[in-house]
Amino acid sequence: MTGRVVKQERAVRTRAALLHAAAETFAEYGFAGTTVSRIAERAGLTLGALYFHFKSKEELARLIVTGQPELVVPQLDSQGLQHAVDLTLTWAHQLLDDPVLRAGARLVMDQELFIKPSVNSYRQWTGILLDDFEQARRRRELRADVDTEAYVRLIVGSCTGAQIHTQLETSHRDLPARVEEMWRCLLPALAVPSVARKVRFGEERARVASS
Amino acid sequence: MTGRVVKQERAVRTRAALLHAAAETFAEYGFAGTTVSRIAERAGLTLGALYFHFKSKEELARLIVTGQPELVVPQLDSQGLQHAVDLTLTWAHQLLDDPVLRAGARLVMDQELFIKPSVNSYRQWTGILLDDFEQARRRRELRADVDTEAYVRLIVGSCTGAQIHTQLETSHRDLPARVEEMWRCLLPALAVPSVARKVRFGEERARVASS
């Protein structure tokens, strides 16, 4: 291996370690309570190393928040409504351990400080779920008069609220159960009965694809 | 009027001015960004005056968060599901202008720093809405198999989420519309059809009782 390749690999590892430390720090202290020094210290690196890779605390927060959806990849293949269910269940389970998702959750109210409204996490997730709902519509899974945008806004809002309340009550431990409960409340209004009966919620739906 | 009465009235006014200033400061800067000095300064009072009335920033935050439900009193009399609808609509409209409700919204994620889990705002609101749902059940407004606790958790969670997202997107301006939309999504699953048709959402439902 040449010296240059070693250097590049080291740079990639350093960058990843800083992002990981940033996520843990944001998850623990929130945006206001996090400083670049705290992040560098947690990564066991210097402030110089941090500023070599990232411009600011704001840039780190932005990368963490916008990077959430690509982390949430259900292991099982599915389509339409079942894919929307799998996505939210996978997110809920994964949030229990993943510092990036925990940080994203903690930063949700502070996004205006470091992210453009057009790409905030609310817009990201509604866009993704709307695709699932459009597919569900094409697959004739939805009741005829369902306002898909209204339901998607309700689902994303309800996941945000459940995340906040379960954080207060059980350090998120109840989040997967709350997400399943949300779907059980909504499916009778949303889905044609034959589809509503077939939607699955078992733990296998919530497993992340190994990368 | 005796000197003592004048003094007592002044104390009541000072206390109210401090609470109002605290609410505005929490709404603007969040829990971490608020200091007692900032609150006293906004109220045009001394730190000594603040500490005469309140022990700490934590006490002020606690009083503001726990004082929310008694502020939200719909002008129109209603029962059961319609009362639950009126309560959430009134909250949503009132939050646009009321610094105590705006502060409560901003402090929702920080509650563990100053409030016991048993009385956090999530517990308060689920308790209040559960009473409405129990009444709705007695009035035969609900479908037979409705899990009232699940729906109430979903409604409170969805209001919290909508509050956060509309803050990001429109400084809460869309919150009343989002709350109405939530009910329109849920009523077909929740209420017997004759009741679902009769629920009203007009602006008169959202007016606060004059005190």
PDB file of all heavy atoms in Angstrom, chain A residues 16-28:
ATOM      1  N   ALA A  16     -14.972   9.853   9.896  1.00  0.00           N
ATOM      2  CA  ALA A  16     -16.054   9.035  10.445  1.00  0.00           C
ATOM      3  C   ALA A  16     -16.076   9.110  11.975  1.00  0.00           C
ATOM      4  O   ALA A  16     -17.146   9.190  12.600  1.00  0.00           O
ATOM      5  CB  ALA A  16     -15.912   7.590   9.982  1.00  0.00           C
ATOM      6  N   ALA A  17     -14.878   9.087  12.582  1.00  0.00           N
ATOM      7  CA  ALA A  17     -14.805   9.156  14.050  1.00  0.00           C
ATOM      8  C   ALA A  17     -15.352  10.490  14.552  1.00  0.00           C
ATOM      9  O   ALA A  17     -16.043  10.551  15.581  1.00  0.00           O
ATOM     10  CB  ALA A  17     -13.348   8.975  14.499  1.00  0.00           C
ATOM     11  N   LEU A  18     -15.070  11.569  13.819  1.00  0.00           N
ATOM     12  CA  LEU A  18     -15.568  12.893  14.219  1.00  0.00           C
ATOM     13  C   LEU A  18     -17.087  12.964  14.085  1.00  0.00           C
ATOM     14  O   LEU A  18     -17.773  13.494  14.969  1.00  0.00           O
ATOM     15  CB  LEU A  18     -14.893  13.981  13.379  1.00  0.00           C
ATOM     16  CG  LEU A  18     -13.439  14.290  13.778  1.00  0.00           C
ATOM     17  CD1 LEU A  18     -12.714  15.022  12.651  1.00  0.00           C
ATOM     18  CD2 LEU A  18     -13.406  15.126  15.064  1.00  0.00           C
ATOM     19  N   LEU A  19     -17.618  12.423  13.001  1.00  0.00           N
ATOM     20  CA  LEU A  19     -19.069  12.429  12.819  1.00  0.00           C
ATOM     21  C   LEU A  19     -19.755  11.613  13.921  1.00  0.00           C
ATOM     22  O   LEU A  19     -20.784  12.010  14.468  1.00  0.00           O
ATOM     23  CB  LEU A  19     -19.438  11.853  11.450  1.00  0.00           C
ATOM     24  CG  LEU A  19     -19.542  12.862  10.304  1.00  0.00           C
ATOM     25  CD1 LEU A  19     -19.686  12.151   8.966  1.00  0.00           C
ATOM     26  CD2 LEU A  19     -20.728  13.817  10.518  1.00  0.00           C
ATOM     27  N   HIS A  20     -19.152  10.463  14.247  1.00  0.00           N
ATOM     28  CA  HIS A  20     -19.703   9.614  15.299  1.00  0.00           C
ATOM     29  C   HIS A  20     -19.677  10.350  16.645  1.00  0.00           C
ATOM     30  O   HIS A  20     -20.669  10.370  17.385  1.00  0.00           O
ATOM     31  CB  HIS A  20     -18.897   8.317  15.371  1.00  0.00           C
ATOM     32  CG  HIS A  20     -19.484   7.289  16.277  1.00  0.00           C
ATOM     33  ND1 HIS A  20     -20.381   6.339  15.835  1.00  0.00           N
ATOM     34  CD2 HIS A  20     -19.322   7.069  17.607  1.00  0.00           C
ATOM     35  CE1 HIS A  20     -20.738   5.583  16.855  1.00  0.00           C
ATOM     36  NE2 HIS A  20     -20.115   5.995  17.942  1.00  0.00           N
ATOM     37  N   ALA A  21     -18.552  10.975  16.938  1.00  0.00           N
ATOM     38  CA  ALA A  21     -18.446  11.725  18.203  1.00  0.00           C
ATOM     39  C   ALA A  21     -19.421  12.892  18.226  1.00  0.00           C
ATOM     40  O   ALA A  21     -20.025  13.196  19.265  1.00  0.00           O
ATOM     41  CB  ALA A  21     -17.006  12.221  18.387  1.00  0.00           C
ATOM     42  N   ALA A  22     -19.580  13.544  17.075  1.00  0.00           N
ATOM     43  CA  ALA A  22     -20.522  14.671  17.002  1.00  0.00           C
ATOM     44  C   ALA A  22     -21.944  14.186  17.275  1.00  0.00           C
ATOM     45  O   ALA A  22     -22.697  14.798  18.044  1.00  0.00           O
ATOM     46  CB  ALA A  22     -20.443  15.347  15.632  1.00  0.00           C
ATOM     47  N   ALA A  23     -22.308  13.043  16.649  1.00  0.00           N
ATOM     48  CA  ALA A  23     -23.651  12.504  16.848  1.00  0.00           C
ATOM     49  C   ALA A  23     -23.885  12.200  18.332  1.00  0.00           C
ATOM     50  O   ALA A  23     -24.922  12.561  18.903  1.00  0.00           O
ATOM     51  CB  ALA A  23     -23.849  11.252  15.997  1.00  0.00           C
ATOM     52  N   GLU A  24     -22.913  11.546  18.967  1.00  0.00           N
ATOM     53  CA  GLU A  24     -23.077  11.217  20.388  1.00  0.00           C
ATOM     54  C   GLU A  24     -23.205  12.480  21.236  1.00  0.00           C
ATOM     55  O   GLU A  24     -23.995  12.534  22.181  1.00  0.00           O
ATOM     56  CB  GLU A  24     -21.877  10.391  20.873  1.00  0.00           C
ATOM     57  CG  GLU A  24     -21.890   8.955  20.347  1.00  0.00           C
ATOM     58  CD  GLU A  24     -20.725   8.140  20.895  1.00  0.00           C
ATOM     59  OE1 GLU A  24     -19.755   8.743  21.408  1.00  0.00           O
ATOM     60  OE2 GLU A  24     -20.785   6.904  20.813  1.00  0.00           O
ATOM     61  N   THR A  25     -22.419  13.487  20.896  1.00  0.00           N
ATOM     62  CA  THR A  25     -22.449  14.722  21.691  1.00  0.00           C
ATOM     63  C   THR A  25     -23.771  15.470  21.496  1.00  0.00           C
ATOM     64  O   THR A  25     -24.393  15.922  22.461  1.00  0.00           O
ATOM     65  CB  THR A  25     -21.256  15.627  21.312  1.00  0.00           C
ATOM     66  OG1 THR A  25     -20.071  14.834  21.261  1.00  0.00           O
ATOM     67  CG2 THR A  25     -21.062  16.725  22.334  1.00  0.00           C
ATOM     68  N   PHE A  26     -24.226  15.586  20.248  1.00  0.00           N
ATOM     69  CA  PHE A  26     -25.528  16.228  19.996  1.00  0.00           C
ATOM     70  C   PHE A  26     -26.651  15.455  20.697  1.00  0.00           C
ATOM     71  O   PHE A  26     -27.555  16.047  21.274  1.00  0.00           O
ATOM     72  CB  PHE A  26     -25.821  16.292  18.494  1.00  0.00           C
ATOM     73  CG  PHE A  26     -25.057  17.351  17.746  1.00  0.00           C
ATOM     74  CD1 PHE A  26     -24.324  17.025  16.608  1.00  0.00           C
ATOM     75  CD2 PHE A  26     -25.083  18.677  18.159  1.00  0.00           C
ATOM     76  CE1 PHE A  26     -23.621  18.003  15.906  1.00  0.00           C
ATOM     77  CE2 PHE A  26     -24.381  19.665  17.461  1.00  0.00           C
ATOM     78  CZ  PHE A  26     -23.649  19.322  16.331  1.00  0.00           C
ATOM     79  N   ALA A  27     -26.599  14.111  20.603  1.00  0.00           N
ATOM     80  CA  ALA A  27     -27.651  13.300  21.216  1.00  0.00           C
ATOM     81  C   ALA A  27     -27.702  13.547  22.727  1.00  0.00           C
ATOM     82  O   ALA A  27     -28.773  13.563  23.332  1.00  0.00           O
ATOM     83  CB  ALA A  27     -27.418  11.817  20.925  1.00  0.00           C
ATOM     84  N   GLU A  28     -26.542  13.757  23.331  1.00  0.00           N
ATOM     85  CA  GLU A  28     -26.491  13.907  24.793  1.00  0.00           C
ATOM     86  C   GLU A  28     -26.770  15.341  25.242  1.00  0.00           C
ATOM     87  O   GLU A  28     -27.503  15.560  26.207  1.00  0.00           O
ATOM     88  CB  GLU A  28     -25.104  13.467  25.288  1.00  0.00           C
ATOM     89  CG  GLU A  28     -25.030  13.283  26.792  1.00  0.00           C
ATOM     90  CD  GLU A  28     -23.751  12.576  27.208  1.00  0.00           C
ATOM     91  OE1 GLU A  28     -23.128  11.895  26.353  1.00  0.00           O
ATOM     92  OE2 GLU A  28     -23.361  12.720  28.380  1.00  0.00           O
TER      93      GLU A  28
END
